[in-house]
Amino acid sequence: MKRTIITSMLLSLILLSSSCKTTRDAVAAKSKPSTEKSSKKKPKFKSYSKVITSDAVTDDGLFKTHQVDEDFFYEIPTDLLEKDMLWVTRIAQIPSNLGGGYMNAGSKTNQQVVSWQRFQDKILLKVKSYSEVALDETAAINNSVKVNNYEPTMYAFDIQAFSKDSTAVVVNVTKFFNSDVPSISGLSPRLRKQYKVRSLDKSRSFINSVKSFPENIEVKQDFTFTASEPPSNGSVGSISMQVNQSMILLPEVAMQPRLYDPRVGFFTVGQIDYSSKALKADEKTYIRRWRLEPKDPEAYARGELVEPIKPIVYYLDPGTPENLKEYIKQGIEDWQKPFETAGFKNAIIAKDAPTLEEDPEFSPEDIRYSVVRYVASTTRNAVGPSVSDPRSGEIIESDIIWYHNHLRSYRNRYLLETGAANPSARTLDTDAKEIGEMMRQVIAHEVGHALGFPHNMAASYAYDVEDYRDGEFTQKNGIAASLMDYARYNYIAQPGDKNIRFVRQMGPYDHYAANWGYRVIPNATSPEQETATLNGWIMQKANDPVYKFGRQSSRFDPQSQTEAIGNDPIKASTYGVKNLKYVALNLPQWTSQKTDNYDDLEELYRELLGVYSRYVGHVVTNVGGVNEDLKKPTQSGPVYSTVDKKTQKESVEWIKNNVIETPTWLVDKKIVQNINPDGYFDVLRSVQVRHLNSLLSHDRIGRLINSETVDTDYYSALDMLQDVRKAVFSSSKVDIYKRNIQRAYVDRLNYLMTETPRRSTYNVAQSDVRALVRGELKALQSTLRSKRNASSSKVNRYHYEDLLARVDLILNPR
């Protein structure tokens, strides 16, 4: 009985427990989502149609670009991830005076190679460098190059969606283009500091347009920065500008580079190749040039003229004045002849920009187009920048910049430098055809830069000074062997010389350099396989000065001087100064007497002082001068040789006669008393002192000391210092001008005794410089005492006493 009761109780408890569990499970079932529903996660990416809606405005090209309301999206094909693209930032519209007049609509502010890369759920915009590479990508060191040159990330984008066929990723680029990303902002750190830029005002900044083309994408942004000291419209307290971003797909296979040889002038790109088999990283330098490939390689190889597959085309800015278009086109197409020397016909072409009706997509900022831009600016300049592939040196695009007021510079120089021998230059209203010819040559010069050619400052040294007075010679040869020299006018020709060409033109060196850089060498499949042929072309011309290249940086070389012509600076400057005296005498008649005001007279007089100063500087370079003749070891003779003693001594004598002995012709009362109330004596002093200081410079004295180590018959530093001291203090007539230069001389000796230049090729303090200067100061003391005692002028006695006190203070500082 008892067992039956216990069994019954246990059964009841089991049933109750089962009933409670069923109730709990039912409640739990109601309060918890189903297992099937809880297993679904929120998708990482939105569907394509949710991001790129039916309202999207789409532009198909390199990437598809979409605008949805105020947002912009890039649809990046996955097969274009990791591909190299060139990103170029340009100013499309610019406020007045930004950059001090040397920036303009079209100015490039940055260029960089980028690639789009996927990392997890993001797309990274990476900036790449080709300055350090392993050209042999199979070499083990290639990995070391990568890990020791990690690419910076410009921006990281969240992946929004994938295309419907999953072949492209979609990112929102709105925030990126509306942000102040320094490398693409258009404002350099220097300009930000100069104008006290605080921040980008996002309320006044926006994306203007996004356009996609087959190989590039163009974006225009309107930026407004808050700035305490903007370059113009200061009351607004901001800088507004429009910036264009160009991104172009670089060729999958880079153009075959051509190795640089310093004996032929080219702009360059450089790489350090760590995969070289040399016992160090191999520095490789390639020339910058356009990709010109013959349409018919077989005909080209036979020596026939062949058109290139893709010619170089320049479009004229729609804002170009109609009366100048003819000359600009001629300047561009003048390079057709040198390209013919390289085997190409119609290699470079000038065209008018298409009208809006002809091509509504045309934009001067579009990286597909090279444009000669005509800039409404008071700046007097023209430039020829270009954009190139850093992997190979291939020039992708270039813009020639012509500033409106630049023609005034050429009119002024034409009058000042040729007016004595050239009657047609003696006017403020220069003949339109002559102005056009000047513009043509300037455009051709700037196009030369855009083709890869730097200045060749040795080209004018190729011709004898007397050749410039020969009409037949100048008409045939111009005034330099290359248009790329800074030789603008024939300032040597004298009154009465007949049939003279006064303006520069294309020369034989331009044909030679174009052939060397652009001629395709058949069967050469690497840069190294070209070198023997290229060297052979150089050696054929090696002893002819017409084909010599002279670097602009060679400030010590009298053969390679800016604005100089002729192979004898003393003789050329003598002719030049003689002509300037004639011009100075007639300047009022050619200017103020025609205009009935003194504005042009003042402008031209100040420029005349600059012209005179250049002529003097050409002679100064002879002193301590070193000729640079770039050579390979297989060529005879040294690369560097000292200017001979006789020429140096004659140069100091010329400086004495034309600078230290007062050039009073520069202080013409008919000029100075009509343009300035005072300071006439100081105008001349500043010109004289500039060249005295240049003559007595640490680097020049150092080169003279150096000549003692390599020459047997040399012009020593002591010779020069003694000759200059005697020149400054030899004159019996001492007036305000002479007192000025004597004080300047003592001040300069003080500088040489007490100052050390920041950059010097030798240790000044432990050289002979200060010993020589101390000796000159002591010799000067005796001269000053003698002159003081012999002087009948109280002013001059005071002057000499003052100089003695200055010298004593230098020798015995307190």
Side-chain angles (χ1 to χ4, degrees):
M1 182 69 177
K2 184 183 277 189
R3 181 179 296 169
T4 301
I5 293 169
I6 291 171
T7 301
S8 180
M9 289 175 65
L10 287 171
L11 187 59
S12 298
L13 286 170
I14 290 169
L15 290 170
L16 179 63
S17 174
S18 176
S19 174
C20 290
K21 183 176 184 302
T22 302
T23 303
R24 287 198 303 270
D25 288 346
V27 172
K30 289 181 181 178
S31 63
K32 288 173 64 179
S34 68
T35 304
E36 183 181 354
K37 190 174 181 180
S38 64
S39 67
K40 288 185 178 179
K41 294 182 180 179
K42 185 179 179 181
K44 287 184 178 181
F45 311 110
K46 296 178 182 178
S47 67
Y48 185 82
S49 60
K50 291 282 188 182
V51 179
I52 309 302
T53 68
S54 59
D55 295 328
V57 178
T58 299
D59 194 10
D60 204 355
L62 179 65
F63 301 166
K64 283 184 180 178
T65 63
H66 309 277
Q67 181 177 359
V68 181
D69 297 327
E70 294 183 358
D71 284 337
F72 291 85
F73 297 87
Y74 278 3
E75 186 174 328
I76 309 171
T78 53
D79 62 0
L80 289 180
L81 294 176
E82 310 284 342
K83 300 296 185 183
D84 288 346
M85 301 185 187
L86 191 65
W87 190 297
V88 180
T89 301
R90 277 198 181 87
I91 296 176
Q93 295 193 50
I94 189 170
S96 175
N97 204 40
L98 183 74
Y102 282 90
M103 293 179 71
N104 53 270
S107 286
K108 179 182 68 177
T109 60
N110 197 17
Q111 74 174 59
Q112 53 202 322
V113 176
V114 301
S115 68
W116 301 80
Q117 302 177 12
R118 182 173 180 181
F119 175 74
Q120 296 178 354
D121 298 338
K122 293 183 180 292
I123 294 294
L124 307 181
L125 182 59
K126 305 285 281 187
V127 179
K128 303 186 70 173
S129 171
Y130 279 90
S131 60
E132 297 186 7
V133 297
L135 292 177
D136 179 0
E137 295 184 358
T138 65
I141 201 170
N142 186 49
N143 182 64
S144 179
V145 172
K146 288 181 178 178
V147 300
N148 286 288
N149 292 274
Y150 187 62
E151 299 160 353
T153 301
M154 189 193 302
Y155 206 84
F157 303 85
D158 292 325
I159 296 176
Q160 302 291 314
F162 288 87
S163 62
K164 293 177 181 178
D165 60 1
S166 299
T167 61
V169 294
V170 178
V171 295
N172 190 327
V173 296
T174 312
K175 185 178 178 182
F176 170 63
F177 283 118
N178 278 339
S179 299
D180 186 8
V181 180
S183 65
I184 65 168
S185 73
L187 276 184
S188 66
R190 179 184 66 81
L191 292 178
R192 289 169 184 262
K193 182 177 180 181
Q194 180 180 349
Y195 301 128
K196 293 184 168 51
V197 172
R198 295 190 297 275
S199 63
L200 178 70
D201 185 346
K202 293 187 178 181
S203 68
R204 292 184 284 169
S205 302
F206 50 89
I207 300 172
N208 187 287
S209 65
V210 177
K211 296 180 181 180
S212 189
F213 301 98
E215 293 185 350
N216 61 300
I217 296 177
E218 304 293 326
V219 179
K220 275 194 171 70
Q221 305 156 275
D222 279 77
F223 282 152
T224 294
F225 299 89
T226 57
S228 301
E229 298 181 9
S232 54
N233 299 310
S235 61
V236 180
S238 62
I239 298 172
S240 290
M241 58 197 299
Q242 191 175 86
V243 178
N244 192 91
Q245 310 292 349
S246 295
M247 185 183 71
I248 185 169
L249 179 66
L250 288 174
E252 186 74 21
V253 178
M255 178 186 74
Q256 179 172 299
R258 179 156 292 181
L259 287 166
Y260 169 67
D261 190 309
R263 295 172 293 175
V264 184
F266 270 89
F267 293 123
T268 62
V269 296
Q271 293 179 343
I272 297 176
D273 179 14
Y274 284 95
S275 63
S276 167
K277 291 182 171 52
L279 295 179
K280 65 179 181 67
D282 190 5
E283 294 185 24
K284 298 218 169 142
T285 306
Y286 304 127
I287 67 172
R288 292 177 60 190
R289 57 179 180 154
W290 294 77
R291 187 189 291 230
L292 290 184
E293 299 168 323
K295 282 182 179 179
D296 185 344
E298 293 180 358
Y300 186 89
R302 292 195 300 269
E304 298 175 26
L305 286 181
V306 175
E307 290 188 342
I309 295 172
K310 184 180 179 182
I312 303 164
V313 179
Y314 278 96
Y315 293 89
L316 270 59
D317 190 322
T320 305
E322 288 291 335
N323 64 312
L324 298 176
K325 286 185 176 181
E326 170 191 356
Y327 304 109
I328 294 174
K329 289 178 179 178
Q330 288 174 344
I332 295 167
E333 294 186 349
D334 278 344
W335 281 98
Q336 287 188 356
K337 290 296 182 183
F339 277 125
E340 287 178 8
T341 303
F344 294 100
K345 67 179 179 180
N346 301 322
I348 184 167
I349 300 167
K351 292 183 177 182
D352 289 322
T355 64
L356 187 62
E357 293 74 23
E358 291 170 335
D359 184 357
E361 298 290 344
F362 179 86
S363 168
E365 284 77 41
D366 188 333
I367 201 166
R368 293 177 298 165
Y369 303 117
S370 295
V371 180
V372 178
R373 305 184 67 113
Y374 195 95
V375 180
S377 168
T378 57
T379 299
R380 296 186 183 184
N381 200 14
V383 293
S386 62
V387 173
S388 61
D389 183 344
R391 303 171 304 171
S392 63
E394 177 186 355
I395 297 174
I396 304 294
E397 177 269 355
S398 80
D399 284 337
I400 309 301
I401 313 298
W402 176 277
Y403 297 92
H404 178 70
N405 274 20
H406 199 34
L407 281 176
R408 189 175 183 90
S409 295
Y410 276 83
R411 180 207 68 177
N412 289 0
R413 294 275 300 269
Y414 191 53
L415 184 152
L416 295 170
E417 296 186 32
T418 77
N422 179 13
S424 67
R426 302 168 189 170
T427 176
L428 299 175
D429 299 315
T430 312
D431 180 78
K433 288 186 177 180
E434 293 180 57
I435 284 287
E437 177 63 13
M438 296 173 210
M439 186 174 200
R440 170 183 178 175
Q441 301 305 329
V442 179
I443 291 293
H445 177 95
E446 301 306 336
V447 169
H449 286 320
L451 296 175
F453 305 118
H455 291 133
N456 177 6
M457 294 307 184
S460 56
Y461 203 85
Y463 299 158
D464 185 82
V465 169
E466 291 302 324
D467 288 338
Y468 290 89
R469 301 190 61 187
D470 183 330
E472 183 179 351
F473 181 90
T474 59
Q475 291 297 339
K476 178 182 177 182
N477 299 284
I479 60 175
S482 171
L483 185 69
M484 301 314 296
D485 198 330
Y486 259 179
R488 303 173 203 264
Y489 295 115
N490 181 350
Y491 59 78
I492 289 173
Q494 295 295 293
D497 293 344
K498 303 296 184 184
N499 193 33
I500 299 295
R501 181 173 176 88
F502 291 98
V503 180
R504 60 183 167 179
Q505 64 183 20
M506 201 76 69
Y509 172 87
D510 302 312
H511 289 255
Y512 162 73
N515 182 74
W516 191 91
Y518 280 93
R519 178 170 285 280
V520 176
I521 301 175
N523 303 318
T525 58
S526 72
E528 290 73 20
Q529 289 180 10
E530 295 183 335
T531 54
T533 299
L534 294 171
N535 183 64
W537 291 344
I538 294 173
M539 294 307 294
Q540 289 173 10
K541 310 288 188 182
N543 297 317
D544 190 337
V546 166
Y547 301 103
K548 177 182 174 179
F549 173 68
R551 297 187 290 190
Q552 186 173 1
S553 59
S554 304
R555 299 182 184 278
F556 51 81
D557 183 0
Q559 300 174 115
S560 299
Q561 298 199 70
T562 181
E563 312 289 356
I565 58 174
N567 62 357
D568 184 341
I570 295 175
K571 200 172 187 181
S573 290
T574 299
Y575 278 134
V577 169
K578 184 179 179 181
N579 283 338
L580 273 186
K581 290 179 179 179
Y582 180 93
V583 170
L585 186 66
N586 290 280
L587 202 54
Q589 177 186 339
W590 299 344
T591 58
S592 55
Q593 292 179 25
K594 302 290 185 183
T595 63
D596 200 29
N597 65 62
Y598 294 109
D599 295 344
D600 288 287
L601 176 63
E602 180 176 6
E603 179 181 320
L604 281 157
Y605 171 69
R606 296 195 183 284
E607 291 192 30
L608 183 145
L609 293 173
V611 174
Y612 162 78
S613 186
R614 282 194 292 272
Y615 296 166
V616 172
H618 299 157
V619 179
V620 172
T621 305
N622 274 338
V623 184
V626 177
N627 297 320
E628 181 181 61
D629 297 294
L630 300 171
K631 299 178 180 181
K632 288 288 182 75
T634 52
Q635 295 174 255
S636 61
V639 174
Y640 297 103
S641 58
T642 307
V643 172
D644 67 274
K645 178 178 180 179
K646 179 174 179 290
T647 298
Q648 292 194 61
K649 194 169 184 65
E650 288 176 352
S651 296
V652 173
E653 182 69 16
W654 189 94
I655 294 163
K656 171 194 171 185
N657 295 332
N658 290 275
V659 183
I660 295 173
E661 293 298 328
T662 310
T664 52
W665 60 273
L666 284 169
V667 192
D668 188 327
K669 293 180 182 179
K670 290 181 295 183
I671 298 175
V672 296
Q673 286 189 306
N674 288 316
I675 63 173
N676 203 27
D678 57 18
Y680 314 141
F681 68 95
D682 201 61
V683 169
L684 193 53
R685 180 203 63 79
S686 65
V687 177
Q688 291 176 292
V689 169
R690 174 184 175 185
H691 294 291
L692 179 67
N693 289 348
S694 176
L695 196 60
L696 301 175
S697 64
H698 286 104
D699 62 338
R700 196 176 310 280
I701 294 171
R703 289 197 296 275
L704 288 167
I705 293 171
N706 189 64
S707 67
E708 298 179 27
T709 67
V710 292
D711 296 326
T712 54
D713 186 24
Y714 53 85
Y715 188 57
S716 70
L718 179 59
D719 290 336
M720 188 271 284
L721 289 170
Q722 288 179 335
D723 286 347
V724 173
R725 171 172 52 83
K726 292 172 183 175
V728 172
F729 288 93
S730 63
S731 177
S732 57
K733 179 185 177 183
V734 179
D735 55 14
I736 187 171
Y737 302 111
K738 185 61 69 174
R739 292 194 295 270
N740 275 344
I741 200 165
Q742 289 176 350
R743 275 188 288 268
Y745 171 81
V746 172
D747 285 348
R748 190 60 178 178
L749 292 190
N750 181 40
Y751 170 82
L752 293 172
M753 277 292 290
T754 59
E755 299 294 331
T756 300
R758 285 183 296 177
R759 296 177 184 175
S760 179
T761 57
Y762 65 103
N763 189 314
V764 172
Q766 294 183 14
S767 72
D768 285 343
V769 171
R770 287 174 182 161
L772 294 173
V773 173
R774 187 180 298 276
E776 286 302 292
L777 285 166
K778 288 188 174 181
L780 182 58
Q781 282 180 316
S782 175
T783 299
L784 292 174
R785 292 190 189 100
S786 174
K787 287 187 172 294
R788 177 194 61 187
N789 296 336
S791 177
S792 59
S793 164
K794 182 177 286 188
V795 172
N796 286 343
R797 284 201 305 274
Y798 288 167
H799 166 66
Y800 291 126
E801 286 174 359
D802 175 65
L803 290 184
L804 278 166
R806 294 185 190 206
V807 171
D808 181 64
L809 193 59
I810 298 168
L811 293 172
N812 304 289
R814 295 179 178 80

